[in-house]
Amino acid sequence: MEPVISNDVIMPGELLHAFQQRLENSGGVVSFTGQVRPVNSSGIPVKHLHLQAHPTLTRGGIVQAVTEANARWPLEAAAIHHRIGDIASGDTIVFVAAASAHRRAAFEAADYLMDYLKTRAVFWKKEVTECGAEWIEPRQTDHADFSRWTLEGPRHARH
Amino acid sequence: MEPVISNDVIMPGELLHAFQQRLENSGGVVSFTGQVRPVNSSGIPVKHLHLQAHPTLTRGGIVQAVTEANARWPLEAAAIHHRIGDIASGDTIVFVAAASAHRRAAFEAADYLMDYLKTRAVFWKKEVTECGAEWIEPRQTDHADFSRWTLEGPRHARH
Amino acid sequence: MTEITFWGKLADIVGTSKHTVTLPDSVQDTENLRAFLENELGLDGALRDPANRIAINDQIVVEPAALCASDRVAFLPPVGGG
Amino acid sequence: MTEITFWGKLADIVGTSKHTVTLPDSVQDTENLRAFLENELGLDGALRDPANRIAINDQIVVEPAALCASDRVAFLPPVGGG
């Protein structure tokens, strides 16, 4: 399935329903939904996030990550929806789903795709609070999470 | 949230939507949906599964597993819906959701709860095909999956 | 009278999901009960198999466990849902 | 004329998201370009920082990479979505 990168509101329930409707032989479906937390890590209320994407690099990288996931795990389907623009506190930023005959493959593929999105996907993220706006970069733990996939598994991650 | 064990059809999209509506400060929500595969591991078409629960032991065990998940990971919420009775091919057997400020906690908690449900939850499962009916027990891989949490297991989610 | 229930495949093997029986004085614990029922129901070892666990009054027990005549006993084959 | 775009925080630092410039003959590769733009735009090292990567014609490049006057160049600070 083609990744969706859009300013439109993401409705995870509807997306999960539509994703499962298309499946034919999957025993397990894992979804991840990422939402804007109302309070940032310093305890300051967040008004919104602003997400910027590149018109070609962002989609190209995500398509490659989905291809990589399909090479590593026997997936029936994988879906990625990523919102851009201004995203209010509580709204959904990202929805990822992975379906496979076996649940471990679905869990690991969704986990991998999220680690990719957090650390390698071509987005820039600005957090807007009452105190101003700040560009946010991946945390050390996000990079450590992604590195799990380069040290193990049937194939090495590119990048 | 109280676990739901019921004969009613499970609608994962609606459950995910309702689950997320109740959250206040979670950055990540992971859901798992388990469905009846139309074909079993021997390639024989499956008419339906029959799931039997115990009137008290099943719920008690699941409540304990959710308590354990809450002790291991900083969850805002966890939900388990498990269907019983006759479940047709393609229908949903189980829906699990976990929400946390951080995505690793949500992923690991959902994964743990599924491993619990597959190997320790008090259900009995009969697979009905054209060739007859057969009681299904957890596979070796299911037990191996659960043992990840009892031996060294993944470390608690980082913060 | 003691109520014995059989769950999952054990109901198929025993031929019933519920069996009410007056236990003789010789049946004092779960080990005695397993042997007694095997014989009474003419089974082939299913109730002797420790993989099939026992719950007394809705608590899974560590065996051998003592029995009272008024107990509700459940035989539970290996479990697994999802 | 070479089109230079700045993404994420770099647009804030440079003060614009797009800059069109005629590069002098001395600018033959990305290393020259970084130094040239730093000076031309009066910056404080942001474009010299290798954490800010360069894409040429929508391909992230390994540096130093050769440049043509007709190239579209993008400066990309560290990425991350989700």
Side-chain angles (χ1 to χ4, degrees):
Chain A
M1 290 169 67
E2 277 298 298
V4 176
I5 301 163
S6 155
N7 284 278
D8 298 341
V9 169
I10 291 178
M11 302 290 284
E14 290 178 17
L15 293 179
L16 180 60
H17 180 73
F19 183 75
Q20 300 204 170
Q21 287 291 102
R22 298 171 49 156
L23 301 175
E24 290 185 354
N25 193 28
S26 284
V29 176
V30 171
S31 81
F32 179 86
T33 306
Q35 301 175 301
V36 181
R37 293 180 62 193
V39 168
N40 73 10
S41 51
S42 309
I44 300 168
V46 173
K47 288 183 176 173
H48 65 264
L49 291 186
H50 178 78
L51 267 283
Q52 185 184 37
H54 185 279
T56 59
L57 290 171
T58 309
R59 173 177 301 273
I62 292 175
V63 167
Q64 217 176 312
V66 172
T67 301
E68 177 70 24
N70 275 294
R72 283 180 177 232
W73 295 282
L75 306 179
E76 181 179 347
I80 292 179
H81 295 250
H82 204 297
R83 195 165 161 200
I84 54 176
D86 287 346
I87 312 175
S89 169
D91 275 14
T92 295
I93 310 165
V94 62
F95 175 84
V96 164
S100 177
H102 301 293
R103 74 183 182 290
R104 287 245 56 70
F107 266 112
E108 292 182 10
D111 201 1
Y112 167 80
L113 290 171
M114 275 311 304
D115 286 347
Y116 167 81
L117 290 170
K118 282 279 181 183
T119 61
R120 297 293 189 279
V122 181
F123 292 100
W124 298 280
K125 188 159 50 178
K126 187 158 62 173
E127 184 181 81
V128 180
T129 67
E130 290 174 4
C131 311
E134 197 180 347
W135 292 94
I136 307 291
E137 294 180 6
R139 297 167 304 170
Q140 262 319 110
T141 56
D142 293 321
H143 288 298
D145 282 346
F146 189 81
S147 74
R148 295 180 300 157
W149 309 106
T150 57
L151 302 172
E152 62 186 43
R155 291 181 52 173
H156 292 287
R158 293 181 288 258
H159 294 291
Chain B
M1 289 170 68
E2 277 296 298
V4 176
I5 301 163
S6 154
N7 284 278
D8 298 342
V9 168
I10 290 178
M11 303 290 283
E14 289 178 18
L15 293 179
L16 180 60
H17 179 72
F19 183 75
Q20 301 205 169
Q21 288 291 104
R22 298 172 48 158
L23 300 175
E24 291 185 353
N25 193 28
S26 283
V29 176
V30 171
S31 80
F32 179 86
T33 307
Q35 302 175 300
V36 181
R37 293 180 61 193
V39 169
N40 73 10
S41 51
S42 309
I44 299 168
V46 173
K47 288 182 175 171
H48 64 264
L49 291 187
H50 178 78
L51 266 285
Q52 186 184 34
H54 185 279
T56 60
L57 290 171
T58 309
R59 172 177 302 273
I62 291 174
V63 167
Q64 218 176 311
V66 172
T67 301
E68 175 71 24
N70 275 294
R72 283 180 179 232
W73 295 282
L75 305 179
E76 181 179 347
I80 293 180
H81 295 249
H82 204 296
R83 197 167 160 199
I84 53 176
D86 288 345
I87 311 175
S89 169
D91 275 14
T92 295
I93 309 165
V94 62
F95 175 84
V96 164
S100 178
H102 302 294
R103 73 183 184 290
R104 288 245 55 69
F107 265 112
E108 291 183 10
D111 201 359
Y112 167 80
L113 290 171
M114 274 312 302
D115 286 348
Y116 167 81
L117 290 170
K118 282 280 181 183
T119 62
R120 298 292 189 279
V122 181
F123 292 100
W124 299 279
K125 186 160 51 179
K126 187 158 64 174
E127 185 182 81
V128 180
T129 66
E130 289 175 4
C131 312
E134 197 179 347
W135 291 95
I136 306 290
E137 294 179 6
R139 297 166 303 170
Q140 262 320 110
T141 56
D142 293 320
H143 288 298
D145 282 346
F146 189 80
S147 74
R148 294 180 301 154
W149 311 104
T150 55
L151 302 173
E152 283 238 297
R155 283 196 299 274
H156 291 200
R158 292 180 294 261
H159 297 194
Chain C
M1 300 286 277
T2 302
E3 179 195 295
I4 319 277
T5 53
F6 303 102
W7 297 83
K9 70 179 178 190
L10 288 178
D12 288 354
I13 291 169
V14 174
T16 181
S17 60
K18 194 168 182 175
H19 180 62
T20 306
V21 64
T22 303
L23 296 177
D25 288 347
S26 60
V27 175
Q28 294 290 323
D29 65 17
T30 52
E31 192 176 346
N32 307 150
L33 179 70
R34 286 174 180 270
F36 172 77
L37 288 173
E38 272 287 328
N39 187 55
E40 196 214 9
L41 298 167
L43 301 175
D44 210 24
L47 298 190
R48 275 210 192 84
D49 182 351
N52 297 318
R53 302 191 64 186
I54 290 178
I56 300 178
N57 303 328
D58 296 347
Q59 295 282 348
I60 295 173
V61 294
V62 177
E63 298 188 55
L67 274 179
C68 305
S70 60
D71 284 340
R72 286 173 295 107
V73 178
F75 279 86
L76 315 170
V79 298
Chain D
M1 300 286 275
T2 302
E3 178 196 295
I4 319 276
T5 53
F6 303 101
W7 298 82
K9 70 179 178 190
L10 288 178
D12 288 354
I13 291 169
V14 174
T16 180
S17 60
K18 195 169 181 176
H19 180 63
T20 305
V21 64
T22 302
L23 296 177
D25 288 346
S26 59
V27 175
Q28 293 291 320
D29 64 19
T30 52
E31 194 177 342
N32 307 151
L33 178 70
R34 285 174 180 270
F36 172 77
L37 288 174
E38 273 287 329
N39 186 54
E40 196 213 8
L41 299 167
L43 300 175
D44 208 26
L47 298 189
R48 274 208 192 84
D49 182 352
N52 297 319
R53 303 189 63 185
I54 290 178
I56 300 178
N57 302 327
D58 295 346
Q59 294 283 347
I60 295 173
V61 295
V62 177
E63 299 187 53
L67 276 178
C68 304
S70 60
D71 283 339
R72 286 174 296 107
V73 178
F75 279 84
L76 315 171
V79 297

